[in-house]
Amino acid sequence: MKGISVFNDLKRIGHDKVTAIGMGTWGIGGYENPDHSRDGESIEVLRYGLELGINLIDTAEFYGAGHSEEIVGEAIKGFEREEIFIISKVWPTHFGYDEAKRVARASAKRLGTYIDLYLLHWPGESWRKIEETLHALEDLVDEGLIRYIGVSNFDLELLKRSQEAMRKYEVVANEVKYSLKDRWPETSGLLDYMKREGIALIAYTPLEKGTLARNECLAGIGKKYGKTAAQVALNYLIWEENVIAIPKAGSKVHLEENFGAVGWRLSKDDREKARGCV
């Protein structure tokens, strides 16, 4: 695995290539900034990430009641749209054929552009609503409003059921909580299944809200590579061929550190040692 560089350390979502590390926007425009006073700073940070070469941004209608999408829309202005991959999501209260179409159009309007990957944010309580929503998204692909369809927080059984429900297109991604501390995708069989199916696993909360970045054991492993504990924790995830990590884009310093997780790989032995650090 030696010789990987920032520029070819890419993963696939559908037929597109994205950076192995993306930018998460949970909290941006919402609970961390309820008065929107730091919107300009958030836009600047996202733009800086794009300038670094990170081409994946993850947002949702639920984040800041849509304001996160507006911030993303401002941040991408002036960049080549085809070089950016935007993920957004529909909240379960908006599941259903007509309602899913309505809120997807509202998200695209806030973003000021089409959506590359549109996810069902959580399973919700009704399979019928999930199925209707998946079929609505297939029609939105035909309309050109979205490009790919995925799910989020779906376990193995529900992911398989969603695949079976598709009529024209495929489920290309499942965004789930996954970190060195919370390795349930590994133990549940979800990760192995998604690898076999060619489905991207997008890992959110990969640093466990910063606790892994302060892990002294991981920092010790990182010294061998000239890397930080956070970079080791992220590299552990993207070591898997179909895993993409989306730590929050909190600051320029954090973006630089996050992006330092690409372009190299832990050895198998050190990856095993990392498991023992948490």
Side-chain angles (χ1 to χ4, degrees):
M1 294 186 179
K2 294 181 179 179
I4 299 172
S5 75
V6 167
F7 301 102
N8 64 20
D9 197 356
L10 302 173
K11 304 296 180 109
R12 285 194 175 274
I13 298 179
H15 298 294
D16 286 39
K17 291 183 178 180
V18 300
T19 44
I21 300 291
M23 294 185 284
T25 63
W26 166 246
I28 291 178
Y31 76 96
E32 292 183 349
N33 185 27
D35 62 357
H36 301 169
S37 61
R38 297 200 302 274
D39 284 0
E41 178 185 344
S42 297
I43 291 167
E44 187 178 347
V45 169
L46 290 172
R47 292 179 66 84
Y48 183 67
L50 293 173
E51 290 166 359
L52 284 177
I54 303 171
N55 70 351
L56 175 64
I57 304 176
D58 177 89
T59 188
E61 62 158 334
F62 183 74
Y63 300 170
H67 189 54
S68 173
E69 292 173 321
E70 293 173 338
I71 289 174
V72 171
E74 285 297 317
I76 65 174
K77 288 181 178 178
F79 291 88
E80 291 294 331
R81 175 63 183 89
E82 294 76 16
E83 295 179 2
I84 303 171
F85 194 96
I86 298 174
I87 302 171
S88 194
K89 313 174 191 75
V90 52
W91 193 247
T93 54
H94 294 147
F95 284 2
Y97 186 82
D98 292 329
E99 182 67 357
K101 280 190 167 186
R102 182 188 71 79
V103 298
R105 292 190 177 101
S107 286
K109 183 176 181 180
R110 287 189 290 268
L111 289 164
T113 184
Y114 60 88
I115 301 166
D116 292 287
L117 173 63
Y118 201 51
L119 309 176
L120 280 67
H121 204 149
W122 285 89
E125 298 179 358
S126 167
W127 169 252
R128 181 180 62 83
K129 288 285 190 178
I130 291 174
E131 190 171 38
E132 287 180 2
T133 303
L134 290 170
H135 294 166
L137 301 196
E138 289 188 301
D139 289 347
L140 290 178
V141 173
D142 288 337
E143 294 177 20
L145 190 78
I146 66 177
R147 298 181 58 237
Y148 296 111
I149 299 166
V151 296
S152 183
N153 298 298
F154 278 36
D155 62 18
L156 180 54
E157 180 180 354
L158 198 52
L159 174 59
K160 289 180 177 179
R161 194 173 182 186
S162 299
Q163 286 179 289
E164 293 168 357
M166 302 299 281
R167 300 178 299 188
K168 294 182 287 184
Y169 300 105
E170 297 180 348
V171 174
V172 302
N174 186 12
E175 184 172 315
V176 298
K177 187 175 184 296
Y178 180 31
S179 71
L180 254 173
K181 186 177 180 181
D182 188 358
R183 300 197 297 272
W184 77 270
E186 298 174 14
T187 58
S188 66
L190 179 67
L191 176 58
D192 285 341
Y193 176 80
M194 291 176 63
K195 279 195 287 189
R196 291 195 301 270
E197 292 289 306
I199 300 172
L201 191 156
I202 303 168
Y204 70 82
T205 321
L207 296 176
E208 292 289 343
K209 299 181 179 179
T211 60
L212 294 179
R214 299 186 292 273
N215 186 293
E216 293 184 5
C217 177
L218 294 177
I221 294 173
K223 287 181 180 179
K224 177 179 177 180
Y225 301 87
K227 300 295 180 180
T228 66
Q231 290 166 341
V232 171
L234 292 172
N235 195 267
Y236 174 89
L237 300 178
I238 66 172
W239 199 94
E240 298 286 358
E241 62 186 30
N242 67 321
V243 175
I244 300 155
I246 48 167
K248 187 176 68 175
S251 69
K252 291 182 179 180
V253 171
H254 285 154
L255 281 179
E256 290 178 355
E257 184 175 17
N258 294 342
F259 208 33
V262 306
W264 60 285
R265 289 294 185 269
L266 290 163
S267 69
K268 289 184 178 180
D269 287 345
D270 286 334
R271 193 165 185 264
E272 186 61 36
K273 289 178 183 176
R275 289 191 180 103
C277 288
V278 294

